[in-house]
Amino acid sequence: MTSGTPQTLVWDWTIRLFHWLIVLLIPFLWWTAEEGMMDWHRRLGLTMFTLVLFRLIWGFAGTWTARFVPMIKRLGSLPTYVRGLIARQNSPSFGHSPVGTLAVFALLTALSIQVGTGLFSVDVDGLESGPLAILVSFKTGREIADFHELNFDILVALIALHIIAVATYRLVLKNDLVRPMVTGRRGDVEPVSVVKIRPVALIVSVAIAAAGLYVVMNAG
């Protein structure tokens, strides 16, 4: 790609901001839990909850490359796409490829479970708990906390697979997936749709996510 190649906007700024905030939050959430800094763990967990809720809403109300329906439709070409990868034949996608779609759904599912279980978790002495733990018994809260820890291991494994896949695309297939997630643009794809944020959709999505945070924080 030369500097004169026309650049196509693929990822809107909300998707890019969500991605990199998640990258920062996950290690800090792990560290605060390991160090027993539960006040900070709770604050960061609520931040993660709000981000994930927004992303789920944006998957229906957002730009074309952020929406779930176009991604699901691409799964029909997954066998052909995988055969191409095996043959080291790959063309950059406008948005998520079929394999990328699987990664998005797996990671969002794991993140949703992580924040969801965190809301109801109770620690061993009952002194620290999620904001919705009041809705469940101590025993149930402890069981949810155990699953919260197990799911984190699954999340870490998925993240490791994601990093390996991104590195493989870059080193083997010569397809850089990182730069577009920073700049939002690629010069080697044909646009399928114009990536343009609708202000009303963005405001409503942010408002719903904020309302969700307010409800959770005031549930007790």
Side-chain angles (χ1 to χ4, degrees):
M1 182 179 69
T2 65
S3 59
T5 303
Q7 299 289 297
T8 300
L9 182 62
V10 176
W11 307 113
D12 70 66
W13 65 265
T14 67
I15 291 295
R16 303 190 323 264
L17 182 61
F18 169 82
H19 179 277
W20 295 114
L21 284 176
I22 294 297
V23 169
L24 290 174
L25 276 174
I26 289 176
F28 277 113
L29 279 162
W30 169 81
W31 183 68
T32 52
E34 288 293 306
E35 295 297 319
M37 302 169 63
M38 299 313 295
D39 286 344
W40 274 104
H41 189 75
R42 182 186 176 109
R43 294 187 189 102
L44 295 175
L46 288 171
T47 302
M48 178 75 81
F49 165 79
T50 309
L51 288 172
V52 171
L53 180 56
F54 170 80
R55 180 63 185 93
L56 294 176
I57 298 167
W58 202 237
F60 297 96
T63 53
W64 191 90
T65 49
R67 294 179 200 162
F68 298 138
V69 172
M71 284 190 260
I72 292 172
K73 290 180 178 179
R74 284 191 169 179
L75 289 177
S77 60
L78 180 61
T80 301
Y81 185 84
V82 171
R83 285 195 294 269
L85 290 180
I86 294 173
R88 296 192 178 185
Q89 298 172 353
N90 174 253
S91 297
S93 302
F94 181 77
H96 291 292
S97 68
V99 171
T101 295
L102 291 179
V104 168
F105 288 148
L107 286 166
L108 279 179
T109 298
L111 284 170
S112 298
I113 293 173
Q114 194 66 18
V115 296
T117 53
L119 296 177
F120 295 90
S121 294
V122 179
D123 70 354
V124 290
D125 54 15
L127 297 177
E128 298 289 348
S129 59
L132 300 184
I134 192 173
L135 302 177
V136 299
S137 66
F138 176 79
K139 179 182 178 182
T140 300
R142 285 301 305 141
E143 291 172 346
I144 293 174
D146 289 340
F147 189 72
H148 185 69
E149 293 184 14
L150 173 63
N151 185 74
F152 182 75
D153 293 337
I154 296 173
L155 178 60
V156 170
L158 289 172
I159 292 171
L161 285 174
H162 178 61
I163 293 172
I164 291 170
V166 169
T168 300
Y169 269 80
R170 180 68 182 89
L171 299 175
V172 178
L173 301 172
K174 309 305 179 184
N175 185 349
D176 186 357
L177 302 179
V178 176
R179 183 184 294 274
M181 192 52 68
V182 175
T183 66
R185 298 180 178 274
R186 297 196 68 130
D188 50 5
V189 295
E190 290 295 328
V192 175
S193 176
V194 175
V195 175
K196 184 177 181 181
I197 292 177
R198 294 172 297 166
V200 173
L202 177 60
I203 291 170
V204 171
S205 299
V206 170
I208 294 174
L213 175 63
Y214 177 83
V215 170
V216 166
M217 291 181 67
N218 293 275

